[in-house]
Amino acid sequence: MCSKYSGEAIELRPPHPEDGAELHRLVNHCPPLDENSLYCNLLQCTHFRHTSVLAVMNGEVVGAITGYLLPAHPGTLFIWQVAVHEVARGKGLARQMLANLLERDICAEVTHLETTVTPSNDASRAMFAGFAREFGLSFEYQDYFQRDTHFNGQHEAEELLRIGPIPARTRPQSSTGAVRPKELFA
Ligand SMILES: CC(C)(COP(=O)(O)OP(=O)(O)OC[C@H]1O[C@@H](n2cnc3c(N)ncnc32)[C@H](O)[C@@H]1OP(=O)(O)O)[C@@H](O)C(=O)NCCC(=O)NCCS
């Protein structure tokens, strides 16, 4: 699947293990995201590749979403991290990557998205709210990981954001076989 930003084509695709180092570099470049070990990113690019997506422009990884289906509730896609390089921000790329994940066969039974967001991350909150608004989905926040109880006072609290229910969807195919995000929830 390809999009165009300022004339540059951006390809959305699942990561490969060989992308682990690039993913590591992008995440480290996108505060306030937690910096994971490279090993963690390699696992995301192997075990979790089917529920993760990279955005590639001119051979460079400029965006990524890592996620997984909750082991006990596979109808929920948990979004682990979202990162968009500043050269590609503010153009809807994060929302488009979310839609790309939901279009995949592995997410056919997904009814909800979940993630955690800090109260101070305005860009992240605006992005998820924009995604929910675009597709007419409800969303709510609730307390989750607390600064003192869970982070030993060393990290801002993380609220749980739950988006859904996501209605059963048709799967319109374009001539190239790619599904366009706007057609997701017909
Ligand atoms: C959050 C992030 C992924 C958004 O990526 P993006 O591709 O620019 O997102 P989108 O273009 O799809 O949506 C951005 C929305 O946030 C808004 N926004 C962007 N920066 C903002 C800011 N600093 N404050 C408030 N709103 C902001 C945009 O106006 C847009 O809102 P709209 O849909 O109402 O127009 C990107 O800014 C990023 O990588 N930030 C650093 C890492 C991070 O915080 N990740 C999220 C943690 S879960």
Side-chain angles (χ1 to χ4, degrees):
M1 178 189 196
C2 277
S3 307
K4 284 209 164 186
Y5 295 117
S6 310
E8 304 285 356
I10 294 188
E11 179 197 8
L12 303 186
R13 63 163 174 82
H16 305 294
E18 294 72 21
D19 295 313
E22 271 282 300
L23 175 60
H24 189 69
R25 196 163 25 244
L26 176 68
V27 169
N28 288 358
H29 186 79
C30 290
L33 292 180
D34 283 342
E35 297 180 10
N36 303 309
S37 66
L38 177 52
Y39 185 75
C40 170
N41 293 124
L42 285 169
L43 292 183
Q44 291 170 329
C45 292
T46 49
H47 297 173
F48 299 115
R49 68 181 299 267
H50 301 293
T51 46
S52 299
V53 57
L54 296 185
V56 182
M57 183 171 72
N58 291 331
E60 304 280 327
V61 176
V62 295
I65 295 182
T66 50
Y68 55 89
L69 301 179
L70 292 186
H73 300 283
T76 296
L77 174 64
F78 186 82
I79 302 300
W80 190 335
Q81 286 186 316
V82 186
V84 173
H85 193 283
E86 56 271 61
V87 298
R89 283 186 192 165
K91 304 171 195 299
L93 182 57
R95 290 193 302 257
Q96 208 171 342
M97 289 192 291
L98 281 176
N100 179 276
L101 290 177
L102 287 171
E103 289 163 0
R104 297 184 185 173
D105 287 345
I106 194 170
C107 292
E109 307 298 325
V110 165
T111 60
H112 289 81
L113 280 186
E114 285 186 358
T115 192
T116 69
V117 190
T118 58
S120 67
N121 194 334
D122 293 335
S124 181
R125 295 169 95 88
M127 185 277 288
F128 281 111
F131 175 80
R133 197 171 51 243
E134 182 173 353
F135 294 109
L137 303 173
S138 303
F139 66 95
E140 62 179 12
Y141 283 95
Q142 63 187 70
D143 290 344
Y144 205 58
F145 295 132
Q146 301 297 314
R147 177 190 290 274
D148 293 323
T149 310
H150 302 103
F151 286 116
N152 198 26
Q154 296 170 36
H155 188 288
E156 190 180 358
E158 293 270 353
E159 295 177 348
L160 181 71
L161 169 62
R162 185 167 163 84
I163 302 176
I166 299 168
R169 57 193 188 265
T170 56
R171 295 177 168 273
Q173 299 289 309
S174 73
S175 54
T176 61
V179 180
R180 291 185 289 278
K182 295 270 187 201
E183 296 171 325
L184 244 185
F185 308 118

